[in-house]
Amino acid sequence: MLDPELLERITARRAELDEMEERLAKELVEVRAERDELAVAERVLERVSGQLAEEHASDLPAPGQVAGRAVMLIPHREPGVEERALPPDYQRILTVVRQAAGPVMAREVGEAVGVDTSVRAKLEPLRSKLVRLADRGWLRKLPDGRFTTRL
């Protein structure tokens, strides 16, 4: 003969397990749905990241050809053209001129960016970059040869 108390405990435990199974099945459905949503979000993120990378790459200056040699083209300053479109060394030059207390000579810029200013052959390429930035509207060259930012 079966013990009625033991039989009642077994029945109660079976009911608890059935409830737990139902709750876990529901949670499993929710987990799988969220996992599917994350997979979709991941694909969208990869696609958007790829598109942004392509757009960013197209914003960067493209090298041109001069006398068969690859050279970096410096864009004219105009609405929509950001400073990041310039090569990094030109961006550093702009930063130095911008941070100066007033108009600066090429020698002062050279000292700030680490060019050996005692050697004219090393200073002239920097002066040429400053002039190029002035010609393209990024800087202003004063009559005395000093450079300043545009207003």
Side-chain angles (χ1 to χ4, degrees), residues 51-131:
Q51 290 171 348
L52 289 175
E54 288 174 15
E55 288 174 15
H56 179 69
S58 68
D59 287 347
L60 296 177
Q65 292 284 325
V66 173
R69 236 177 81 197
V71 295
M72 188 59 70
L73 301 176
I74 307 304
H76 287 275
R77 182 178 181 197
E78 50 192 42
V81 178
E82 296 181 19
E83 194 173 299
R84 67 184 175 100
L86 296 170
D89 53 336
Y90 284 83
Q91 291 178 32
R92 275 194 314 276
I93 292 168
L94 279 176
T95 300
V96 168
V97 175
R98 190 178 296 118
Q99 291 174 348
V104 291
M105 298 294 291
R107 179 173 307 281
E108 296 170 88
V109 175
E111 290 167 355
V113 297
V115 171
D116 183 359
T117 57
S118 66
V119 179
R120 184 181 174 116
K122 294 191 178 197
L123 188 58
E124 286 310 310
L126 174 65
R127 186 182 322 280
S128 150
K129 288 179 181 179
L130 285 159
V131 169

Side-chain angles (χ1 to χ4, degrees), residues 3 16 19-21 23 26 50 54 60 76 78 81 112 114 119 130 132-133 151:
D3 182 5
E16 285 177 24
E19 273 183 42
M20 188 183 298
E21 181 181 26
R23 189 182 76 246
K26 184 178 177 183
E54 288 174 15
L60 296 177
H76 287 275
E78 50 192 42
V81 178
V119 179
L130 285 159
R132 194 169 299 118
L133 285 169
L151 297 176

